[in-house]
Amino acid sequence: MARIRAGDVTLGHRQWGSGPVPVLFIHGNLASKDWIEIAAQWFPPDLAVHAVDWRGCGDSDRPTPDDDYDNYSITQHATDMLAAMDVLGLDCVHLVTHSTGGIIAARMQLIAPERIGRILHLDPVSPMGIRFEESSIAAFRAMEQSKQTTRAVMANAASSLFQADSFLPGKMPRFRDGIDHLQAMYEKVIDQTFTAGHGIWLGTPLNLTKEAETGELAGRIGELVHETLILWGQQDAIILQKDMRAMAEALPDARLVEVPGVGHSMNIEAPQMFAGFVAGFLSGILPEPPGTAQPGPSPSRVRWWQSRTA
C-alpha cells in the first residue's frame, strides 16, 4: 500500500505501468483506486496510470465531516486530486473517471484546465449533478449500518455480473456462472466499500444534491473544453441515458458511446473491454491542455515518438 500526503490528508495511491503517457484514474462514490485493478493488466505499456483514493475511501484518511459535509464536497475532492498530482510530479495528465469521478473531473477542469489533456468518462455523474430525495439518503444510512444491505444495493453498480431474475426485493442478487475471477473482485470492493468513512456515506449524496440545486457547474459546462469520450453501459440503472446524451450534447468537444451488455461499471463487469477503450483513446498521446495543439504533429507527440524509437 502506497500513501501520499496531499494537502491536509494522506491519500491511498497505486500505479500501473511506467510509460511516458500519464493518466489519473478518479473512482466513483463508495469505491476505490482498486476498481481498475483487473483492467490494468491490459493497459498498453506506454501508459503510466495513477489511481488515488478519495478522502474517506480505500487507504485514505477519514476526516471527521463538518456539520454541512463541506470537507467532503465535490470541489474538495477535486482539490485533493490536484494536490496529489503535485506530490506525484504530474504537471498534466489525461483523466479516466468512473461515476461520481466524472463530476470531480469537471471541477478539476474549471480549477486547473491547463493540467488536463483528454478525458474518458465511464458512466459519469454529469456536471448537472444528481438530486437525492430523503428516501435515497435513508438508503445510504441503511447501507452504512449493514454489509449485507451494501452488498445487495451495490449489485446494481455491476448488474451484468448477476442473474437478471435475482434482483428482487428482499433477495440477495446471485452471480452468473463462470465468472469466478470477477466475483472475487466484486467481493473485494464490497469489503472496501463497507469501510468508507461517514463523510462519504452521507457527504457524497448531499453534496451531489447541492451541485444539482445550485446549477453553478451546469451553467459553466461550456467551459469544459477538453476532448472527451463518454462511455455508458446500456444496462446502467444508476446513470440515465438521457443525462448522458444531454451531457455529450452540451460539452464543446465530446462524443458518447453506448455499450451493450454492461451496466454501470464496465471496469469490473468487462475489464478487458474497458482497457481497450482506454488504450484506443489515450495510448500514444501525451496530454496537452486544450488550445495548445498546432497543425501537424504536436511537439508532445513528436517527443513521445522519439522516446519510443530512440
Side-chain angles (χ1 to χ4, degrees):
M1 177 188 71
R3 283 160 55 87
I4 58 175
R5 188 70 182 177
D8 63 343
V9 292
T10 299
L11 305 176
H13 167 254
R14 288 185 72 176
Q15 179 177 345
W16 291 271
S18 56
V21 181
V23 178
L24 178 65
F25 171 66
I26 306 175
H27 65 76
N29 187 41
L30 296 171
S32 78
K33 60 190 178 309
D34 297 327
W35 280 53
I36 56 168
E37 178 180 299
I38 295 181
Q41 64 187 299
W42 292 292
F43 289 161
D46 64 320
L47 302 188
V49 179
H50 298 265
V52 178
D53 290 324
W54 300 3
R55 62 173 61 204
C57 292
D59 295 318
S60 293
D61 290 346
R62 288 149 170 70
T64 300
D66 299 337
D67 290 342
D68 59 0
Y69 295 90
D70 190 56
N71 61 333
Y72 283 88
S73 70
I74 302 304
T75 297
Q76 180 62 68
H77 290 309
T79 302
D80 287 346
M81 293 299 118
L82 291 166
M85 286 173 58
D86 291 338
V87 174
L88 295 169
L90 301 173
D91 294 329
C92 186
V93 298
H94 298 306
L95 297 181
V96 173
T97 83
H98 180 219
S99 195
T100 307
I103 196 170
I104 294 172
R107 283 293 177 193
M108 293 173 69
Q109 289 173 262
L110 294 179
I111 296 169
E114 74 284 356
R115 303 193 67 179
I116 298 168
R118 293 183 171 191
I119 303 174
L120 186 155
H121 288 309
L122 176 62
D123 297 81
V125 174
S126 82
M128 291 73 167
I130 298 177
R131 282 184 172 85
F132 288 89
E133 304 298 333
E134 183 52 44
S135 59
S136 298
I137 302 296
F140 281 102
R141 294 181 189 274
M143 290 169 66
E144 185 179 13
Q145 299 301 316
S146 167
K147 191 172 183 179
Q148 284 295 93
T149 301
T150 296
R151 178 178 281 106
V153 173
M154 289 293 287
N156 291 283
S159 57
S160 72
L161 298 184
F162 298 87
Q163 297 179 27
D165 62 358
S166 68
F167 285 92
L168 298 172
K171 302 294 184 180
M172 185 62 63
R174 300 188 305 276
F175 286 101
R176 293 188 291 106
D177 294 333
I179 58 167
D180 291 350
H181 64 301
L182 298 180
Q183 179 176 343
M185 182 63 192
Y186 176 83
E187 294 295 349
K188 174 181 177 178
V189 300
I190 289 300
D191 287 342
Q192 288 184 334
T193 294
F194 194 65
T195 66
H198 180 67
I200 294 296
W201 287 104
L202 294 189
T204 303
L206 291 174
N207 281 302
L208 287 176
T209 300
K210 289 178 186 177
E211 292 282 4
E213 291 177 344
T214 66
E216 186 264 338
L217 182 54
R220 300 180 66 184
I221 197 167
E223 299 175 45
L224 309 180
V225 297
H226 302 77
E227 184 177 356
T228 301
L229 174 62
I230 303 169
L231 305 176
W232 178 75
Q234 291 182 345
Q235 295 181 19
D236 191 344
I238 297 173
I239 301 297
L240 301 180
Q241 180 188 57
K242 67 179 182 66
D243 291 341
M244 295 296 90
R245 292 182 174 180
M247 179 179 175
E249 181 67 24
L251 287 171
D253 186 7
R255 67 184 187 271
L256 170 65
V257 176
E258 299 182 8
V259 184
V262 293
H264 184 66
S265 304
M266 190 198 308
N267 46 347
I268 292 178
E269 297 170 73
Q272 192 167 6
M273 181 191 299
F274 173 68
F277 278 111
V278 172
F281 191 54
L282 302 179
S283 182
I285 301 172
L286 289 182
E288 293 178 327
T292 61
Q294 302 296 320
S298 69
S300 67
R301 293 205 66 160
V302 171
R303 290 193 298 272
W304 173 82
W305 179 251
Q306 290 173 338
S307 74
R308 293 291 296 267
T309 57

